[in-house]
Amino acid sequence: MSTTRILFSLLIVALALCSTHGLLVDDFLSTGKTNKLGYQWGTDWASFNSSGTGTFTFTATDPTFQVYTPLAVGCLNVASFGFLHIRNVVLASDTQTLSVCLELNNDQCNQTIAPFPATWGGVDVRRYLQPVTVDGVTTQDVFIPLSHFKISLTHVVSLALKGVMEASPISLGTIEFVNSMPTGYILPPTPPSQPLVMHCVGDSDIALGIDTGDMALAPALLATLRAQNVPATFFVVAETLTQNNSFYISFYRQALAEGHQIALSSKSYANFGKLSPLGIAQEVIGVRDALRSLFKLDSRYVRPPLGSIDARGRAVLGSLGMATVLWDVDTEDWKYAASGDPTKQQLASFKNFVNRGGNLVVAHYFYNNSVVQLDEMITYAKTIGRRFVRMDTCIPDFKDAPWPPRSPLTPSGDSADNSSSLSGGAIAGIVIACLVAVLLVVLLVFLVIRHRRNKAARGASATQLTWDSHQ
């Protein structure tokens, strides 16, 4: 093969890299439950079906339910793409909600160890929904810059559809990662965001996050922690503070005096997924202000009731500068404690999650057997070398502060940034490929010109020889 042909082939490759490419997740042109990457769609108690004609429809009866599909066994690197595109989204009413989320694997890209998933980033689909016309057909599409998910784009493991407020059908079409969006499509500002945490920073640490319970068992719970000499973090529901002769005000003051931490749950233990953004803000601000007033501290840790949080809720917490605290160790007291749990399934669940590497616990104290088994859980964690810490050590970037503040608080929350629609990796790769293409074009032009000059020179030489032969 000539040098020119080799260079021409390289040019074609460079131009291909320079152009935009997509990664198809699913086009729903088959009736099966397998996406185009070879992984199954699944659900948490929602119903769904693929029509086989390009439409996927699902219904969720609770905002904590979701529909999801893996994108990789380990980690999928989507940093070379600019957008997630979802075609033909149809929400049944003006008040229907939907969050699309990208879930992350852990640093080892190993689903068998905790945390899994490590965290997720999501956006409110309605903010991006706009009419898009292709070949004369107009549909309501979304183009979401991957930068708006606020996650590491190299460790994506699955895609989830959640945060559905109403039990009415939602349908959508093709889902794909792309590098461009239609001309005239208007991007909304980047939603405010703060971390959603499911795992403590220190792998040898373990943090007890204690939610609601029975007031009558609260003294026994505190006695257990005292006897074991371990700290815990209590997530406070504001309305309980003024009930029962203000028992919990005294209880939390004693807990603080003994070295424990108190943080935020909500004002009334409402399900955030069923509230408007204003309602979510009122729940969080209500409990925040209660802690400021009664305990003179300002907490930035929020554990939503039932762990129910979608992209709208995360945006509210982000605007307030607060971290969302979930868990990767579930004692499952909500499942076993009411029956008396004679086989100690709560302890077994705790051991199972901890042995996988989990270290951020959710626990309740509605039943005495939960308090008794908590003591055994603590003993077990100590025997395998775990160090018990409060939430401000588990998640050190969000320290509590005294209230009123002794100095002005540093503003938190993310500013809108739409200056770049592509990720840094995508831009760098495209720029390099384009530069290579330009250099190859210049080289090809040079070779063509030189070839023509050489051909002309040979022609002139041949003419001269012919003339000389006639002399």
Side-chain angles (χ1 to χ4, degrees):
M1 183 182 290
S2 68
T3 301
T4 302
R5 288 185 176 180
I6 292 174
L7 287 172
F8 184 76
S9 298
L10 290 174
L11 174 61
I12 296 300
V13 172
L15 289 173
L17 291 172
C18 184
S19 66
T20 58
H21 291 278
L23 175 66
L24 179 63
V25 175
D26 211 334
D27 56 12
F28 307 112
L29 293 177
S30 65
T31 57
K33 296 182 179 180
T34 303
N35 68 26
K36 294 304 179 183
L37 301 177
Y39 303 103
Q40 291 283 312
W41 284 91
T43 179
D44 292 338
W45 303 292
S47 61
F48 68 94
N49 69 81
S50 176
S51 66
T53 59
T55 301
F56 179 79
T57 303
F58 70 97
T59 303
T61 57
D62 189 278
T64 60
F65 300 167
Q66 62 179 346
V67 177
Y68 51 84
T69 185
L71 302 178
V73 173
C75 292
L76 176 67
N77 185 346
V78 296
S80 61
F81 302 104
F83 304 88
L84 178 68
H85 172 221
I86 305 179
R87 187 175 183 273
N88 197 20
V89 179
V90 179
L91 304 180
S93 71
D94 292 340
T95 54
Q96 179 64 291
T97 59
L98 175 64
S99 296
V100 58
C101 307
L102 295 179
E103 298 178 325
L104 293 193
N105 208 336
N106 49 54
D107 290 341
Q108 292 74 33
C109 297
N110 185 345
Q111 298 184 20
T112 65
I113 62 176
F116 180 81
T119 187
W120 58 263
V123 300
D124 177 5
V125 165
R126 193 173 288 280
R127 296 182 68 240
Y128 300 81
L129 199 58
Q130 297 178 35
V132 173
T133 302
V134 177
D135 297 331
V137 178
T138 300
T139 54
Q140 294 288 324
D141 289 16
V142 297
F143 285 83
I144 306 163
L146 296 187
S147 60
H148 285 201
F149 287 96
K150 300 293 183 70
I151 56 172
S152 169
L153 298 175
T154 61
H155 282 63
V156 175
V157 67
S158 57
L159 180 146
L161 305 169
K162 60 176 69 174
V164 179
M165 185 180 290
E166 301 174 359
S168 55
I170 292 175
S171 65
L172 48 86
T174 297
I175 302 175
E176 60 185 342
F177 292 94
V178 297
N179 262 332
S180 62
M181 63 180 184
T183 302
Y185 188 91
I186 301 173
L187 290 177
T190 306
S193 178
Q194 294 291 349
L196 181 145
V197 182
M198 304 174 73
H199 188 78
C200 294
V201 172
D203 288 335
S204 62
D205 292 341
I206 188 167
L208 288 173
I210 299 177
D211 290 7
T212 53
D214 184 345
M215 179 185 69
L217 294 172
L221 173 64
L222 200 57
T224 296
L225 298 173
R226 188 185 308 119
Q228 287 278 11
N229 192 29
V230 297
T233 299
F234 294 88
F235 291 92
V236 177
V237 177
E239 286 188 355
T240 65
L241 296 173
T242 56
Q243 297 171 356
N244 301 298
N245 297 317
S246 302
F247 167 84
Y248 272 110
I249 295 177
S250 299
F251 173 76
Y252 288 132
R253 282 177 177 162
Q254 183 180 353
L256 287 169
E258 295 186 16
H260 303 293
Q261 183 180 4
I262 60 175
L264 312 176
S265 170
S266 57
K267 180 181 178 181
S268 66
Y269 208 70
N271 186 332
F272 287 5
K274 296 182 178 180
L275 301 178
S276 67
L278 176 60
I280 297 169
Q282 290 172 337
E283 284 286 320
V284 176
I285 292 172
V287 67
R288 181 200 67 183
D289 289 351
L291 265 62
R292 286 177 174 181
S293 173
L294 294 169
F295 305 107
K296 308 304 179 187
L297 63 84
D298 194 36
S299 178
R300 295 173 62 198
Y301 303 95
V302 180
R303 175 172 281 173
L306 308 174
S308 178
I309 189 79
D310 60 15
R312 299 174 309 114
R314 287 199 61 188
V316 171
L317 297 187
S319 67
L320 295 171
M322 296 176 177
T324 304
V325 181
L326 297 182
W327 55 83
D328 62 358
V329 177
D330 187 353
T331 64
E332 298 189 314
D333 46 32
W334 53 271
K335 182 188 295 185
Y336 300 113
S339 67
D341 195 13
T343 58
K344 296 187 176 180
Q345 291 299 309
Q346 296 166 78
L347 177 60
S349 294
F350 176 85
K351 289 181 177 180
N352 177 54
F353 285 111
V354 169
N355 290 341
R356 293 178 60 231
N359 65 4
L360 182 47
V361 183
V362 58
H364 306 82
Y365 54 100
F366 286 107
Y367 299 91
N368 185 63
N369 63 76
S370 296
V371 177
V372 171
Q373 290 187 60
L374 180 63
D375 183 59
E376 297 178 72
M377 295 173 194
I378 294 171
T379 298
Y380 176 77
K382 285 180 175 179
T383 63
I384 61 173
R386 295 298 183 91
R387 178 183 72 132
F388 282 85
V389 299
R390 306 189 329 172
M391 210 56 59
D392 50 4
T393 299
C394 171
I395 313 166
D397 293 338
F398 286 79
K399 297 292 186 182
D400 290 342
W403 189 264
R406 296 191 182 96
S407 60
L409 293 176
T410 301
S412 60
D414 300 319
S415 59
D417 180 13
N418 291 295
S419 58
S420 175
S421 59
L422 299 182
S423 67
I427 293 173
I430 291 173
V431 168
I432 291 172
C434 290
L435 288 174
V436 171
V438 170
L439 291 174
L440 289 172
V441 168
V442 171
L443 184 56
L444 280 171
V445 170
F446 170 76
L447 290 175
V448 169
I449 292 174
R450 189 177 70 173
H451 174 74
R452 289 181 175 177
R453 286 180 176 175
N454 289 341
K455 185 176 180 180
R458 287 195 299 270
S461 176
T463 301
Q464 181 65 40
L465 288 172
T466 302
W467 172 257
D468 289 343
S469 67
H470 287 286
Q471 297 298 315

